[in-house]
Amino acid sequence: MPKIVDHDERRTHIVEAVTQIIINHGFERVTMREIAAEAGYAHGAITRYFPNKQSLLTAAFLHVFNGSHERTIARCAGVRGLEALRRMSEELLPFEEAGPQKSRVVLSFWDRAAQDPELWEIHHDNILKRRDLIRRFLAEAREDGELAPDHDIENEVNRVSAHNAGWQMMAVLTPEAATDPAMHASIDAMIAELRGGRPAAEARDAAA
């Protein structure tokens, strides 16, 4: 009986090999030959699923972002407002030992997207999706009376986006500063400032 090949699993394995090469060596080593070696497949097996390097990079880009987005949605399930925003930031920031490695992949894709119009479009659409999620949580916080009344939601969308992206860069460029306690403290400070310095219970009472 011929062996049944799970083609989706193979595609995922190949795409994950790309991210591992970026972690270990950077984008300059992302070649079809290196990808085949990392994935443990013959070169011909790679081209059967991805005809060229561009299609593979696009798939890897989407795999990284979609995985992050799905984990964020799952982590924020059942909560709203500033608690959802906190959980989203905790998911996106590079916590734990593997954090700098994950950030290296993210920054590599940012750099690649800045030079590649196709990847830029994909990255732009995905960032808009993430900003929409931040906007939704802030709107919920306003409805629930959590968000300080003098805060403009669009300004805060920019600030939260920059906060989370900034820690990704710090994890790569100054990893000694991007410690778990420092990132937790930064999220706490951001959430407290969004409340206008009010404790959560006080903010809820003010809205009642």
Side-chain angles (χ1 to χ4, degrees), residues 3 39 58 62 73 114 123 153 157:
K3 181 180 179 180
T58 300
L62 288 170
I73 294 298
H123 182 266
I153 285 181
V157 169

Side-chain angles (χ1 to χ4, degrees), residues 26-137:
F27 248 104
E28 63 276 5
R29 288 281 293 275
V30 179
T31 65
M32 298 300 275
R33 185 182 301 277
E34 287 286 345
I35 294 164
E38 180 68 35
Y41 297 147
H43 183 275
I46 303 294
T47 57
R48 189 176 303 128
Y49 296 102
F50 300 99
N52 51 47
K53 181 178 175 180
Q54 181 67 29
S55 64
L56 223 173
L57 289 176
T58 300
F61 192 99
L62 288 170
H63 177 73
V64 169
F65 183 89
N66 290 339
S68 173
H69 190 71
E70 288 167 7
R71 289 191 300 273
T72 298
I73 294 298
R75 188 162 184 167
C76 296
V79 297
R80 54 183 275 134
L82 295 186
E83 177 57 28
L85 192 63
R86 175 191 294 279
R87 294 190 187 188
M88 178 183 190
S89 297
E90 288 173 344
E91 181 60 44
L92 295 178
L93 264 60
F95 284 105
E96 301 178 348
E97 187 176 347
Q101 293 182 335
K102 294 176 183 176
S103 292
R104 194 172 298 117
V105 173
V106 171
L107 265 63
S108 294
F109 277 123
W110 288 354
D111 179 63
R112 188 75 182 189
Q115 304 170 51
D116 186 314
E118 181 182 351
L119 288 181
W120 186 92
E121 286 291 344
I122 295 170
H123 182 266
H124 184 254
D125 289 346
N126 286 333
I127 289 299
L128 290 181
K129 185 189 300 185
R130 184 166 289 168
R131 286 171 61 85
D132 284 343
L133 198 56
I134 295 171
R135 188 176 292 108
R136 182 186 116 194
F137 294 151

Side-chain angles (χ1 to χ4, degrees), residues 81-82 84-90 92-93 130-131 133-135 137-138 147 151-168 186-187 190-191 193-194:
L82 295 186
L85 192 63
R86 175 191 294 279
R87 294 190 187 188
M88 178 183 190
S89 297
E90 288 173 344
L92 295 178
L93 264 60
R130 184 166 289 168
R131 286 171 61 85
L133 198 56
I134 295 171
R135 188 176 292 108
F137 294 151
L138 288 169
L147 187 66
H151 287 329
D152 178 79
I153 285 181
E154 289 308 307
N155 286 342
E156 298 309 328
V157 169
N158 290 335
R159 188 156 70 97
V160 172
S161 299
H163 172 272
N164 293 343
W167 279 109
Q168 296 279 11
S186 183
I187 293 172
M190 179 180 70
I191 297 298
E193 207 281 330
L194 289 169

